[in-house]
Amino acid sequence: MIVHPGKGKVVALCGGVGGAKLAFGLSKLLGSRLILIVNTGDDFEHLGLSISPDIDTVLYTLSGLANRELGWGRQDETWNFMAALEAIGGETWFRLGDRDLALHVERTRRLREGDTLTRIVGDFAKRFEIPATVLPMSNHPIRTMVATADGMLPFQRYFVQQRCAPPVNGIVFKGSRAAVASKQVLSALESPDLRAIVICPSNPFLSIDPILAVPGVREHIERSSAPVVAVSPIIGGKAVKGPTDKIMAELGVPATSDAIVRHYGGLLDGLIIDTYDERDRADLSGQVRVAQTLMKTDDDRGKLASAVLDFADQLTAMAIARNSKQ
Ligand code: FO1
């Protein structure tokens, strides 16, 4: 890590519900100084519509419109479209609420007219009065494919339709090699006054790896002068939500924070683990901070975000002290 102090911008990589919760906390503290790079590997085309679940979870969470019970979609949702679709024998395994539908119809229309996902998401974020910059990881289609005993499954077929039941033996990000990171993503990571790069407690295999697979993204993070801090998505050997621990077991990786550090392969300057796992701290290599990572309330989200920034600033200060001794 090259040292560069400052109170500049913060880039956070995220996908899914856990990621969006920390993004919410960070956005409350940082406002327009937060740039989110969001996974689009879960995106797919369904019922003729372009669906971007992780982007929409971030938009709804940061604008306070998220459906907290479901963990996806909008609050105060009605389901007339789904009921009407079911009545005529349409596909209903992936549920689109009436209000949520508006976002899908408008995104699809604009994409068909040649607009980029980055511009569309930026406009939606403005409409939702979100001060942070929300960036899709790429404007190119990258599709997460899950290799299972039943064959290769597109992500949403595995995750929603099959409820993550088939054992996983590999994960592929189709289209990633040919993809290009958007110029906004790369310039955010190149920013000389970057205060921190945060890896949210999202599923490393399904939500963060697709972002790191976009050509140039991992290299830009490695080259960045900012401290890279991850929040472990594992508490007590289990994922707070979703299939992270199940997938880790199926891929032969122990569901521990140590395995998360090894998975990111030298990318991290520091890791935040939950207070429940404090006793594992001694076994972890590198810089570790203990904090409450379970985010049940908005207050929890803010406190974790504050711990992340504090830790990043401390890592910067330590690096400055080290460099001045040399
Ligand atoms: N998740 C489900 O478990 N069932 C659904 O029917 C479903 C619909 C859905 C619609 C829009 C959207 O933005 C997300 C939706 N999700 C649904 C969540 C989503 O598929 C996953 O949680 C993410 O892809 C994983 O991060």
Side-chain angles (χ1 to χ4, degrees), residues 15-17 42 51-54 56-57 72-73 93-96 100 104 155-156 159-160 207:
V17 184
D42 296 10
I51 320 266
S52 295
D54 285 0
D56 293 355
T57 298
W72 49 267
W93 62 271
F94 193 84
R95 295 192 292 145
L96 294 173
D100 192 23
H104 295 105
F155 178 78
Q156 298 296 345
F159 195 89
V160 173
S207 299

Side-chain angles (χ1 to χ4, degrees), residues 86-102:
E86 188 166 24
I88 55 168
E91 256 188 275
T92 54
W93 62 271
F94 193 84
R95 295 192 292 145
L96 294 173
D98 300 334
R99 289 176 205 275
D100 192 23
L101 202 51

Side-chain angles (χ1 to χ4, degrees), residues 224-291:
S224 172
S225 57
V228 182
V229 172
V231 177
S232 174
I234 297 290
I235 303 177
K238 295 242 171 301
V240 176
K241 197 174 186 296
T244 308
D245 48 349
K246 180 178 177 283
I247 290 175
M248 287 174 90
E250 289 162 0
L251 294 175
V253 181
T256 61
S257 292
D258 187 39
I260 302 285
V261 174
R262 274 188 271 119
H263 179 75
Y264 286 129
L267 204 59
L268 307 184
D269 293 303
L271 178 76
I272 297 196
I273 61 168
D274 191 72
T275 41
Y276 183 88
D277 292 324
E278 185 153 18
R279 63 184 180 281
D280 300 345
R281 188 189 191 142
D283 304 334
L284 287 163
S285 52
Q287 295 295 329
V288 177
R289 165 82 67 102
V290 177

